[in-house]
Amino acid sequence: MSSDQKLHPTPIRFKRLLLTGAAGGLGSELRKRLHRYCDVLRISDLAGLEAEAGHEEVQLVRLEDAAAVHSLVEGVDAVIHLGGVSTEQPWDPILQGNIVGTYNLYEALRKHGVKRVVFASSNHVTGFYRQDEVVSPSEPMRPDGLYGLSKAFGESLSRLYFDRYGIETACVRIGSSFPEPRNRRMLATWMSYDDLERLVIAALTTPVLGHTVMYGMGDNTTTWWDNTSARHVGYRPQDSSEQFRAKVEAADPRPDLSDPANIYQGGPFVRTGPFD
Ligand SMILES: NC(=O)c1ccc[n+]([C@@H]2O[C@H](COP(=O)([O-])OP(=O)(O)OC[C@H]3O[C@@H](n4cnc5c(N)ncnc54)[C@H](O)[C@@H]3O)[C@@H](O)[C@H]2O)c1
């Protein structure tokens, strides 16, 4: 599918959408796609962004800067929140970007009356489930590191802001969204960029979202996650990792099953990291 085509069949037009983390891997991809659904796309990151088209507004903001985040959300209809630390890192950047930053965002949303968010959570919220289990969002979180723990905080924070203030959020526990699966684990966790777009648009437009936790995954034959409780969102993945299976398995014919990375869903994230 060309990124110039609109994947959603119905006309959808937001006045202004905010995309955080717009300079990142998924942000760069969604930046190319989301403008088709809104008059103005406000894009934000730490650095590395310039407006390239008339429909774009750029704000360079550190999420831990509360005042800047308050200006960032002014006048937006909804937020796609991708910004923050996206890998296992030392505690301080995680604290600033993912804990303080997400708190600042929800406080700003509350003050500005913004009512809908797509929050990029992560499969690493439940990374310590085994690969022979199928997990649903109602099961207890089992983060596989500080990064996963910070996403668990974001999910709970957004739950509080829904229960208390009615801000609706889709917490999307993204698996692995890349052009194609890079290893055996990603045969279960992969989601194409087209499916990512489908998921984001479904979460932005479903009439009643409430507070929904769901996994961001494709139509994969092998899966570790059950999205039944999020059917009301109307996300129908259309791309499967199966087309890449032969290539992926040939590159790694005999996985080491004594390696925790091959036993637990979080893969290499479950190993003791360099920050202990
Ligand atoms: N790519 C995936 O498959 C995947 C899987 C699970 C979760 N996610 C989540 O989706 C989101 C996007 O992922 P990605 O792969 O594009 O990650 P990425 O690291 O490429 O992008 C994240 C962006 O956030 C910005 N950022 C980091 N700290 C910040 C701060 N303190 N203030 C403002 N901006 C800050 C970075 O500059 C970066 O551009 C992340 O929240 C990530 O945790 C992605």
Side-chain angles (χ1 to χ4, degrees), residues 24-26 45-46 63-64 82 84 86 120-121 147 151 174-177:
L26 300 189
D45 208 299
L46 296 173
L63 290 161
E64 55 269 44
L82 307 184
S86 62
S121 183
Y147 163 67
K151 295 293 189 180
I174 301 171
S176 309
S177 193

Side-chain angles (χ1 to χ4, degrees), residues 180-215:
E180 57 182 76
R182 297 171 173 172
N183 51 44
R184 280 178 177 262
R185 175 176 177 270
M186 290 192 194
L187 292 173
T189 62
W190 184 67
M191 175 169 60
S192 70
Y193 292 146
D194 282 352
D195 278 343
L196 172 70
E197 178 181 342
R198 289 185 184 99
L199 196 166
V200 167
I201 297 304
L204 286 175
T205 56
T206 194
V208 181
L209 177 65
H211 185 268
T212 298
V213 181
M214 61 193 295
Y215 286 89

Side-chain angles (χ1 to χ4, degrees), residues 18-270:
L18 168 62
L19 176 66
T20 70
L26 300 189
S28 307
E29 196 57 42
L30 284 178
R31 176 184 181 180
K32 289 187 271 179
R33 295 162 177 260
L34 286 178
H35 70 84
R36 293 192 292 275
Y37 302 97
C38 57
D39 296 333
V40 177
L41 183 63
R42 184 174 292 167
I43 52 176
S44 181
D45 208 299
L46 296 173
L49 286 177
E50 282 175 24
E52 284 177 3
H55 63 262
E56 288 187 336
E57 294 175 348
V58 178
Q59 288 197 28
L60 300 182
V61 165
R62 297 198 75 87
L63 290 161
E64 55 269 44
D65 179 344
V69 172
H70 280 252
S71 311
L72 184 61
V73 307
E74 190 169 358
V76 306
D77 301 327
V79 181
I80 302 93
H81 181 45
L82 307 184
V85 170
S86 62
T87 53
E88 190 65 5
Q89 289 191 23
W91 173 240
D92 197 59
I94 289 177
L95 173 65
Q96 298 307 324
N98 296 13
I99 306 268
V100 177
T102 308
Y103 168 75
N104 286 343
L105 179 72
Y106 276 84
E107 267 299 280
L109 298 174
R110 177 179 73 79
K111 289 187 178 156
H112 288 283
V114 182
K115 293 290 189 190
R116 190 163 293 202
V117 184
V118 180
F119 168 54
S121 183
S122 169
N123 70 89
H124 294 288
V125 166
T126 50
F128 259 121
Y129 283 92
R130 292 170 52 96
Q131 296 184 9
D132 55 9
E133 296 175 280
V134 176
V135 185
S136 73
S138 60
E139 290 177 78
M141 298 179 187
R142 293 176 69 176
D144 58 27
L146 298 178
Y147 163 67
L149 188 62
S150 73
K151 295 293 189 180
F153 171 84
E155 290 191 6
S156 294
L157 180 84
S158 61
R159 175 87 235 181
L160 170 65
Y161 276 72
F162 174 65
D163 288 340
R164 191 174 274 172
Y165 306 114
I167 298 173
E168 297 186 296
T169 297
C171 296
V172 182
R173 293 177 178 171
I174 301 171
S176 309
S177 193
F178 298 103
E180 57 182 76
R182 297 171 173 172
N183 51 44
R184 280 178 177 262
R185 175 176 177 270
M186 290 192 194
L187 292 173
T189 62
W190 184 67
M191 175 169 60
S192 70
Y193 292 146
D194 282 352
D195 278 343
L196 172 70
E197 178 181 342
R198 289 185 184 99
L199 196 166
V200 167
I201 297 304
L204 286 175
T205 56
T206 194
V208 181
L209 177 65
H211 185 268
T212 298
V213 181
M214 61 193 295
Y215 286 89
M217 59 182 177
D219 184 27
N220 303 327
T221 301
T222 304
T223 182
W224 303 326
W225 307 319
D226 177 2
N227 265 343
T228 306
S229 61
R231 277 182 303 188
H232 60 284
V233 174
Y235 166 56
R236 283 265 174 123
Q238 293 184 24
D239 298 325
S240 168
S241 62
E242 209 55 23
Q243 59 188 306
F244 303 104
R245 181 176 292 277
K247 180 177 161 189
V248 166
E249 290 185 349
D252 181 17
R254 278 178 293 280
D256 174 7
L257 295 180
S258 67
D259 181 348
N262 292 327
I263 297 173
Y264 294 100
Q265 295 187 4
F269 279 59
V270 304

